[in-house]
Amino acid sequence: MSESVLVVIPTTQAQREEFQAIMPEARFVFADQRDTPPEDPRGFDIILGNVPPASIQASPRLAWMQTSSAGSDAYTRPGVLAPTTLLTCSTGAYGQAVSEHLFASVLAVQKKIELYRDDQRAHVWGDEGAVTSLRGATVLVLGAGDIGSAFARLCQAFGARVVGVRRHPLQPGEPFDRIISLDQVREVLPQADVVVSFLPSTPQTCNLADADFFAAMKPGTIFANGGRGDLVDEDALVEALQSGHLTGAALDVTRTEPLPAESPLWDVPNLLVTPHVAGFYHLQATLDNVVALAQANLRRYAADEPLVNVVVR
């Protein structure tokens, strides 16, 4: 019996033919991640792309799933995948897109672009005061993987000193001037001018950015989050911004998405919020990367070779 493969990634006809050429005997079904799969995901041996976790229901048939996202925490929760299912992710596909989005957001906050946008809408020709620069600044990057490294390179190109945070710190090297562990973050916070997070959601990172975290920053620091929303105590962030302790902040992720209409985050003047759009497929290069990673791992799978980006569960 041939294997069945569900590809939940937007693909061109040429790309579909490339997938089929890798496993000629397999039955392929293609769908867009934004659509409901035409068939029950539990009927497939392989899923390439993201489907609703509840639709898998620990299918014993599913041998391998590769997420189209870099994060895979939605699929590592108990009961989503069977113990025998191999899980891989698309780490490496999003470095350019997410780093550029967060870099643009940080620059916008430094130059108070969001305040001038508010002035424009209010028909106010005003002066929002002093701004800051990345030149000579210390930038603390929480999460020194693919995305964090791409962000660090952008900051260094502007003349910043960049400190990276990894679970297991290694010897410092390009693109970081220094690498520290998560346990050392509170010691370094007072030195940072900009703090940016790309951390995944784990028990160790949940609510990491709380009132004490923001209080440890020196006055005038900018905070940005492009990782997971549960990192941040949002009430504490609002207080730090409204009090003036933080100059500004940028969020592409929030604890609840979509962000509820009653959330105070909407109304903080020096906070820039974007609706989790840094990644996905807004940049064509990202989609090309996701497809290429899926095809490369499918070739390995067909050849019975070890897969890359394996998620330890």
Side-chain angles (χ1 to χ4, degrees), residues 192-235:
D193 300 288
V194 177
V195 178
V196 182
S197 177
F198 300 105
L199 290 172
S201 177
T202 68
Q204 291 73 36
T205 63
C206 185
N207 290 319
L208 176 69
D210 57 11
D212 290 340
F213 181 95
F214 295 122
M217 296 182 186
K218 63 184 177 183
T221 305
I222 289 173
F223 173 77
N225 187 17
R228 286 293 182 266
D230 64 3
L231 176 99
V232 179
D233 178 333
E234 293 175 349
D235 290 337

Side-chain angles (χ1 to χ4, degrees), residues 62-66 81-88 301 307 310 313:
L62 183 60
W64 165 43
M65 176 180 184
Q66 173 151 323
L81 296 178
T84 55
T85 301
L86 180 64
L87 179 64
T88 58
Y301 186 89
L307 305 187
V310 174
R313 296 192 284 139

Side-chain angles (χ1 to χ4, degrees), residues 6-309:
L6 174 62
V7 181
V8 196
I9 306 169
T11 50
T12 64
Q13 182 59 38
Q15 288 170 332
R16 294 182 180 191
E17 291 172 1
E18 291 171 3
F19 274 109
Q20 291 171 324
I22 295 170
M23 294 181 67
E25 303 301 319
R27 182 179 76 91
F28 281 83
V29 173
F30 295 90
D32 189 309
Q33 181 177 331
R34 292 163 289 197
D35 300 330
T36 301
E39 297 182 29
D40 187 342
R42 293 173 297 177
F44 291 86
D45 304 286
I46 299 171
I47 297 176
L48 304 176
N50 291 16
V51 296
S55 70
I56 303 173
Q57 297 181 354
S59 167
R61 177 171 177 173
L62 183 60
W64 165 43
M65 176 180 184
Q66 173 151 323
T67 65
S68 52
S69 55
S72 56
D73 45 284
Y75 302 96
T76 58
R77 294 167 185 157
V80 176
L81 296 178
T84 55
T85 301
L86 180 64
L87 179 64
T88 58
C89 66
S90 291
T91 293
Y94 293 87
Q96 179 185 352
V98 178
S99 66
E100 288 180 353
H101 184 98
L102 267 293
F103 187 74
S105 298
V106 167
L107 284 182
V109 173
Q110 281 193 315
K111 306 306 178 183
K112 300 185 176 179
I113 301 300
E114 80 285 4
L115 298 181
Y116 287 110
R117 177 68 180 190
D118 291 345
D119 287 347
Q120 177 186 344
R121 288 175 171 166
H123 298 191
V124 172
W125 188 268
D127 188 329
E128 295 295 344
V131 299
T132 57
S133 173
L134 283 173
R135 180 172 294 182
T138 296
V139 179
L140 179 61
V141 179
L142 310 181
D146 174 57
I147 298 172
S149 295
F151 182 84
R153 292 186 184 94
L154 294 173
C155 291
Q156 286 190 331
F158 271 57
R161 175 178 180 269
V162 188
V163 179
V165 179
R166 287 195 180 109
R167 182 181 303 177
H168 303 295
L170 305 174
Q171 291 296 319
E174 179 65 27
F176 296 97
D177 297 283
R178 181 186 175 192
I179 293 289
I180 64 172
S181 69
L182 197 59
D183 293 338
Q184 296 173 286
V185 166
R186 297 295 173 100
E187 302 169 18
V188 179
L189 279 176
Q191 306 166 21
D193 300 288
V194 177
V195 178
V196 182
S197 177
F198 300 105
L199 290 172
S201 177
T202 68
Q204 291 73 36
T205 63
C206 185
N207 290 319
L208 176 69
D210 57 11
D212 290 340
F213 181 95
F214 295 122
M217 296 182 186
K218 63 184 177 183
T221 305
I222 289 173
F223 173 77
N225 187 17
R228 286 293 182 266
D230 64 3
L231 176 99
V232 179
D233 178 333
E234 293 175 349
D235 290 337
L237 175 60
V238 169
E239 171 59 29
L241 289 166
Q242 290 180 336
S243 70
H245 182 67
L246 298 185
T247 292
L251 303 177
D252 186 55
V253 290
T254 56
R255 185 173 290 273
T256 302
E257 297 180 359
L259 184 63
E262 65 275 12
S263 171
L265 294 176
W266 290 113
D267 299 313
V268 181
N270 50 341
L271 172 61
L272 176 63
V273 178
T274 54
H276 206 154
V277 293
F280 199 55
Y281 304 137
H282 296 93
L283 185 67
Q284 181 61 41
T286 301
L287 178 55
D288 294 341
N289 292 339
V290 169
V291 171
L293 284 169
Q295 290 179 340
N297 253 354
L298 189 63
R299 290 188 185 93
R300 292 184 177 91
Y301 186 89
D304 198 25
E305 297 175 353
L307 305 187
V308 299
N309 289 348

